Amino acid sequence: MMTWLLRLVLPRGDRDAVLGDLIEERALQANSDRWYRQQVLRSIAAIVWMRIRRCLWLKTLGAALVGYLVVVVLVIANRVLMSVAPNATAYTIATLVADFGVMILGSYVAARMRPRAPITLAVITAVMGIVSLLQTGDRASREYQFFLIVVGPVGALIGGRIRAWQRRNA
């Protein structure tokens, strides 16, 4: 888990070297697990602060917000089209499926702008879902609640993975 977190924040060009050095140093330490956790946490803090100072996070956030805007526009269009569904269950199912596809597409667009934007978009989606649920309480259906907090962020991550796969195979 600690290695995954560090890999997430490290610049792509530095990942192998930094992780390799940490693993080599870890083997020399007496209390290696504790030492490794401390080093990773210190490194993450320093890397995140460096990225904030360089405003790299702002570009990623901007790309994620563009992806979110794409999702919002397509979801509104989807609601208009789905309003002709024959019954409430068909509407709910069609909406969830369509919204999942829209989230993947929005995330893909964000990933074309900034490779890490889908992660930010997934977090934004989950936070918006939690805020929405706090506002609506039990009035929202379980399917809607599940979509907002789980399916939406998963769709955002899938869109990013599709773009990463496309970039690797280009």
Side-chain angles (χ1 to χ4, degrees):
M1 176 70 165
M2 298 304 288
T3 303
W4 177 80
L5 287 172
L6 184 57
R7 182 177 288 280
L8 190 64
V9 299
L10 275 170
R12 186 173 293 141
D14 297 335
R15 285 182 192 152
D16 291 337
V18 170
L19 290 171
D21 289 347
L22 273 174
I23 290 170
E24 285 177 15
E25 284 290 323
R26 181 182 192 178
L28 301 174
Q29 300 299 318
N31 193 352
S32 64
D33 288 339
R34 182 172 179 227
W35 178 87
Y36 186 73
R37 275 192 305 275
Q38 289 174 341
Q39 293 302 312
V40 168
L41 291 174
R42 286 181 188 146
S43 298
I44 288 172
I47 293 165
V48 168
W49 178 245
M50 175 195 64
R51 287 174 169 247
I52 288 171
R53 284 187 18 230
R54 292 184 181 173
C55 293
L56 296 176
W57 64 275
L58 195 57
K59 294 175 186 175
T60 301
L61 179 62
L65 291 176
V66 167
Y68 195 77
L69 181 63
V70 168
V71 170
V72 168
V73 168
L74 292 176
V75 164
I76 290 170
N78 175 46
R79 293 294 185 273
V80 171
L81 294 174
M82 294 294 174
S83 65
V84 296
N87 59 46
T89 304
Y91 174 80
T92 300
I93 292 170
T95 298
L96 291 176
V97 169
D99 288 352
F100 184 65
V102 165
M103 183 55 75
I104 291 171
L105 178 62
S107 177
Y108 178 84
V109 168
R112 288 191 61 92
M113 296 170 66
R114 294 287 290 177
R116 294 192 179 215
I119 296 168
T120 306
L121 181 56
V123 171
I124 290 170
T125 304
V127 168
M128 292 301 291
I130 292 168
V131 168
S132 176
L133 291 177
L134 291 174
Q135 293 295 322
T136 61
D138 289 338
R139 294 183 308 228
S141 69
R142 296 267 186 244
E143 296 85 10
Y144 180 73
Q145 293 174 355
F146 181 73
F147 179 82
L148 284 177
I149 296 177
V150 177
V151 177
V154 167
L157 296 174
I158 289 172
R161 296 306 304 160
I162 290 171
R163 175 62 184 145
W165 176 81
Q166 182 187 43
R167 205 174 34 241
R168 275 193 310 269
N169 294 318

